[in-house]
Amino acid sequence: MIKNTGYILLILTVVLILTMVISSCVGAVQISFSELISIIAYHTGLSDHQNFEAQQAAVFLNLRLPRVLLGVLIGAALGVSGAAIQGLFRNPLAEPGLIGISSGATLFAVIMIVLETKIFKELTGIIGFYALSLASFIGAGLTTMLVYRIAMRNGKTIITTLLLGGIAINALAGAFIGLLTYMATDAQLRNITFWSLGSLGGASWPTVTTLLPFVLIPVFGLPFLAKSLNALALGESQAMHMGVNVKMVKRIIIAMATMAVGASVAVAGMIAFIGLIIPHILRMTFTADHRLVIPGAALLGAALLTMADLIARTVVAPAELPIGILTAMIGAPVFIYIIITERNKNNP
């Protein structure tokens, strides 16, 4: 299976690269594949020949490339976090969005947008553009800690309580977001819509570089815990007998997932279902081995979100569809399928 894992990851990498190329070429300003290669070669110093127009280069370098990279980073972050969380709690429904990470991040962003209190103004004065991102990141961390504490009993995590706690936190956060939306001005409502439905429209090079470390650490760190997650699939007691430090593995995975999802929501708003459906597709299609599922979820999540963003910005052009609507349209039917499959498995 290890040999096959290498081939599967290679295929997923090729799929991701093809998705990035297509997303870079398609849009209001069309760029052919040869023109794309020429732009890259010219601006990296590999060629002096310009087989492109100046407008095409400007659109690609300043608008489309940062947007594609942002989609790749966020898709990878959501995919790898979902795979790790599901493996940790041994439940295909335990997705970062379901346990309250995304809604907590969104709530704190909305609080900062609407209330505009002195502390938020001072924070914005100090770190500017990053203040809103920091607020949502703190929200993600706090809600994760709260749900985790609710689910803990005698040092063990009770999965049912974890999911129910996540549902309760999501409902509570949704209620407060609704209240704040009612209080918001028209200008604030436009910002809240962005955070609630998700969008990559704010992509820029500073956004990409800000998000980069928060995604690279989980994407490259979590695969090292794949063997521990395979052991945990047999149960916490069996994993401890096999030498796995279950407590430490739990803390590392939750910290990394919170970091990745919190940072993603901070720059692109709430994008649902990527972390839920991608790991499940990999398990159904290939194997439940986390040595494939964890890195595979990063690659496939990045490809899916990049393609979803391409559809979102072209299907109703010149307007733009919030990407969260598209991912929900794809994810909700898959989510229902997972529920029915689990029901049939538990009640044959």
Side-chain angles (χ1 to χ4, degrees):
M1 193 62 215
I2 295 297
K3 291 181 180 177
N4 291 337
T5 298
Y7 287 123
I8 293 166
L9 292 178
L10 179 62
I11 291 170
L12 292 175
T13 303
V14 172
V15 169
L16 173 59
I17 293 171
L18 287 175
T19 307
M20 293 173 67
V21 170
I22 293 170
S23 189
S24 297
C25 292
V26 178
V29 175
Q30 294 288 338
I31 302 173
S32 68
F33 181 68
S34 62
E35 289 168 339
L36 180 68
I37 296 298
S38 180
I39 292 171
I40 295 172
Y42 180 78
H43 285 86
T44 53
L46 297 175
S47 171
D48 294 330
H49 181 62
Q50 292 188 44
N51 182 29
F52 55 87
E53 297 176 6
Q55 184 192 25
Q56 291 175 318
V59 167
F60 172 68
L61 294 173
N62 299 321
L63 299 176
R64 218 166 278 172
L65 183 57
R67 184 160 182 156
V68 168
L69 292 178
L70 191 66
V72 168
L73 289 175
I74 292 175
L78 297 177
V80 78
S81 301
I85 290 287
Q86 289 177 11
L88 177 64
F89 297 116
R90 305 188 301 282
N91 192 311
L93 304 181
E95 186 253 352
L98 284 181
I99 62 174
I101 298 176
S102 301
S103 58
T106 304
L107 174 61
F108 270 61
V110 173
I111 287 174
M112 187 165 178
I113 291 169
V114 176
L115 296 186
E116 295 183 332
T117 57
K118 184 180 177 183
I119 185 171
F120 290 143
K121 288 180 180 176
E122 289 179 352
L123 185 63
T124 304
I126 296 171
I127 58 176
F129 167 78
Y130 301 104
L132 202 57
S133 300
L134 179 63
S136 63
F137 189 76
I138 292 171
L142 289 177
T143 49
T144 305
M145 289 172 58
L146 180 60
V147 174
Y148 184 65
R149 293 301 303 169
I150 291 173
M152 287 292 290
R153 184 171 177 83
N154 298 326
K156 293 186 176 180
T157 307
I158 303 171
I159 302 301
T160 305
T161 309
L162 178 93
L163 294 175
L164 292 174
I167 291 170
I169 292 297
N170 277 328
L172 188 62
F176 277 110
I177 292 171
L179 176 64
L180 291 165
T181 302
Y182 179 75
M183 296 164 55
T185 64
D186 289 344
Q188 291 169 341
L189 277 176
R190 282 193 288 275
N191 271 334
I192 292 173
T193 301
F194 164 80
W195 286 93
S196 301
L197 299 179
S199 173
L200 302 184
S204 62
W205 284 112
T207 308
V208 172
T209 53
T210 301
L211 183 63
L212 193 62
F214 294 102
V215 174
L216 288 187
I217 292 173
V219 165
F220 287 100
L222 287 172
F224 287 102
L225 299 174
K227 287 185 178 178
S228 298
L229 287 172
N230 284 342
L232 272 170
L234 304 173
E236 291 190 11
S237 300
Q238 288 83 348
M240 284 190 281
H241 286 306
M242 294 169 71
V244 176
N245 187 335
V246 174
K247 199 171 183 180
M248 182 176 290
V249 168
K250 279 183 182 177
R251 288 178 176 173
I252 293 174
I253 288 177
I254 289 175
M256 285 193 179
T258 302
M259 179 168 64
V261 176
S264 299
V265 175
V267 299
M270 192 158 63
I271 300 173
F273 288 109
I274 295 290
L276 173 66
I277 62 174
I278 293 299
H280 203 73
I281 289 172
L282 290 168
R283 280 194 296 269
M284 286 193 304
T285 308
F286 303 111
T287 174
D289 190 334
H290 288 92
R291 288 174 293 181
L292 169 67
V293 174
I294 298 287
L299 293 168
L300 192 57
L304 181 64
L305 191 62
T306 304
M307 187 54 68
D309 179 57
L310 171 62
I311 296 171
R313 63 181 170 81
T314 56
V315 72
V316 291
E320 186 174 312
L321 195 65
I323 196 169
I325 292 177
L326 269 179
T327 57
M329 285 179 175
I330 299 169
V334 177
F335 186 60
I336 293 170
Y337 171 76
I338 293 171
I339 294 172
I340 294 173
T341 304
E342 289 297 311
R343 182 201 63 187
N344 293 339
K345 188 187 297 181
N346 295 326
N347 301 286

